[in-house]
Amino acid sequence: AGLAATRTASDIAIRYANRRRQFEGGEKGVEKRLIDYRQHRRRLLIPLARTYALTLLQNRILERYDDMLNKQASGQWSVTDPTEEQLFASREMESLAAAVKAASTEHANKTLQEMREACGGAGYMSENLLTTLRADADIYSTFEGDNTVLIQMVGKHLLTAFGRDMQDLSPWDMVKYGVETAADTVRRRTGIRSGVQSVIDLVSNRDEDSLFDAGYQVKLIEDREQAVLRSLVRRIAPARKADRAEAAEIVDKTQDHLIAVSWAHVDSLLMRTMVEAELELPEGSAARQVFEQVRSLFFFDLLIKHAGWYQEHNMLPSGRVKAARAAINDLVDSLGPWSQVLSEAFATPKSVWNVPMLNDGGVDGGDNKA
């Protein structure tokens, strides 16, 4: 529901930006469309890239869930007497669902507010739906579990994935066992298609370090995930020899770190999902060329958000961070003409986006020239 509201609001705001004119540009007497302003493109297209990533990840998780149900229906998996593999897959599915729910609803609240503001006064009128979508989405961060609690499930699963025999342990035993096995295993790779891994391996083999290279982008995001996870393991290591009360206090003090690990894992899942989707598009096609830019826009936004971490750990020099900032501007400029095509790809029903501010007369008295 959060993602559906986000896609709808983005579609409305992008359609409005491609029609609404405000202030004269280079030509006297001719006002520019909102989409012609770089800052407006940034506020619409950067969130749009993340919406694509989250939608694609949700689709992947739903496909996986459907596969699990089919295995149960066909008798491949027992419903009454599940195997250890089934139990682990079930818990992994729960972790993935928690991850995408928390990430999608957090993104929904931020993006819906941005889309509403991007449409000015018209966006604040309830007849144009944006305020209704914003109000409805506010509760999503709490429905079906508070996001702060849910995201910790993701981190817990990352720890339990270090060893299959940890899956039935209590949180107390999980901590004691997990820190002993995590030293040699950064995380358990799950559900990764061979195509993405081949892209990553290709980068490793040729020492590719272009910030626009898909494999290098995945590697940078995953390097952060793995480093943060290793750091968490070191912090909870003393719990191995502590009594229950002392261990509980140690775990409580690392809660912020656990949440950071969880969000780093979500970023990794999203980055891989974007690359997977890109590899499914025909090589050399216009669709793939445009999607490459959407993928890079998503990546650079992540990189800038965590630029401080990358520089603190000497993983990226300041010059590359500056290049990433410049790349975001270049990408939103390049994607501007494709903005409505990208939003229309969500296939939002016309009955939903057919709001007064997009009807003839609703934008500059019917002047809809592009």
Side-chain angles (χ1 to χ4, degrees), residues 2-281:
L3 273 175
T6 303
R7 291 191 294 265
T8 300
S10 296
D11 195 19
I12 291 172
I14 288 173
R15 289 175 186 274
Y16 186 74
N18 276 274
R19 297 176 61 180
R20 180 75 166 101
R21 294 179 179 274
Q22 189 72 54
F23 308 119
E24 286 188 8
E27 185 178 351
K28 186 176 177 58
V30 178
E31 293 187 329
K32 295 174 64 175
R33 299 175 303 162
L34 294 180
I35 198 67
D36 294 328
Y37 294 96
R38 174 180 281 177
Q39 184 57 31
H40 206 81
R41 290 194 294 273
R42 287 178 61 95
R43 68 194 307 194
L44 296 182
L45 298 180
I46 294 175
L48 184 70
R50 186 171 180 85
T51 301
Y52 261 87
L54 285 164
T55 299
L56 290 165
L57 178 59
Q58 178 176 294
N59 290 345
R60 282 288 311 280
I61 293 173
L62 288 173
E63 290 172 4
R64 190 165 176 171
Y65 182 63
D66 186 57
D67 182 60
M68 290 174 63
L69 293 181
N70 289 335
K71 287 180 179 178
Q72 291 178 347
S74 65
Q76 290 179 262
W77 279 12
S78 172
V79 178
T80 57
D81 187 23
T83 64
E84 291 296 310
E85 179 67 25
Q86 285 178 245
L87 290 172
F88 190 87
S90 178
R91 288 170 182 165
E92 191 168 63
M93 175 56 64
E94 184 179 28
S95 172
L96 289 170
V100 76
K101 186 271 181 184
S104 297
T105 54
E106 181 195 62
H107 178 64
N109 278 303
K110 290 181 179 179
T111 304
L112 288 167
Q113 181 67 21
E114 190 68 35
M115 297 304 103
R116 204 286 296 164
E117 293 180 14
C119 293
Y124 193 69
M125 298 176 68
S126 59
E127 64 183 4
N128 290 321
L129 288 184
L130 296 178
T131 54
T132 301
L133 292 171
R134 176 68 183 86
D136 288 347
D138 194 46
I139 192 59
Y140 294 160
S141 294
T142 306
F143 268 162
E144 299 302 330
D146 175 74
N147 282 354
T148 302
V149 176
L150 286 181
I151 201 65
Q152 291 178 69
M153 291 175 58
V154 180
K156 177 186 174 183
H157 180 75
L158 287 175
L159 290 176
T160 59
F162 288 134
R164 291 297 189 92
D165 55 341
M166 293 171 59
Q167 59 189 344
D168 291 324
L169 300 182
S170 67
W172 156 251
D173 291 330
M174 179 269 294
V175 170
K176 282 198 167 185
Y177 184 85
V179 294
E180 295 173 356
T181 59
D184 298 323
T185 309
V186 176
R187 71 178 178 84
R188 179 177 180 269
R189 294 178 183 270
T190 56
I192 302 304
R193 297 180 183 177
S194 59
V196 179
Q197 193 57 53
S198 296
V199 169
I200 299 170
D201 292 342
L202 185 60
V203 170
S204 301
N205 292 336
R206 68 171 184 261
D207 295 324
E208 177 63 63
D209 61 356
S210 167
L211 288 176
F212 286 90
D213 187 275
Y216 186 61
Q217 290 176 355
V218 174
K219 185 178 182 300
L220 271 179
I221 300 302
E222 289 197 341
D223 283 350
R224 177 174 175 270
E225 174 199 8
Q226 295 168 12
V228 175
L229 182 53
R230 285 194 295 266
S231 178
L232 172 63
V233 169
R234 287 193 295 270
R235 285 187 65 188
I236 64 175
R240 286 180 295 177
K241 299 179 180 180
D243 59 31
R244 182 177 294 272
E246 186 180 356
E249 185 178 353
I250 292 172
V251 173
D252 182 64
K253 288 181 178 179
T254 62
Q255 193 173 31
D256 60 327
H257 206 142
L258 179 68
I259 291 173
V261 166
S262 302
W263 282 115
H265 182 60
V266 170
D267 290 342
S268 181
L269 289 172
L270 291 172
M271 192 68 237
R272 278 182 171 264
T273 300
M274 289 290 274
V275 175
E276 286 175 358
E278 182 181 322
L279 292 175
E280 292 174 357
L281 296 171

Side-chain angles (χ1 to χ4, degrees), residues 290-309:
V290 172
F291 194 82
E292 284 177 0
Q293 296 178 64
V294 175
R295 178 254 298 164
S296 286
L297 181 59
F298 169 74
F299 163 74
F300 285 118
D301 182 51
L302 275 184
L303 198 64
I304 293 303
K305 285 179 180 176
H306 302 292
W309 185 92

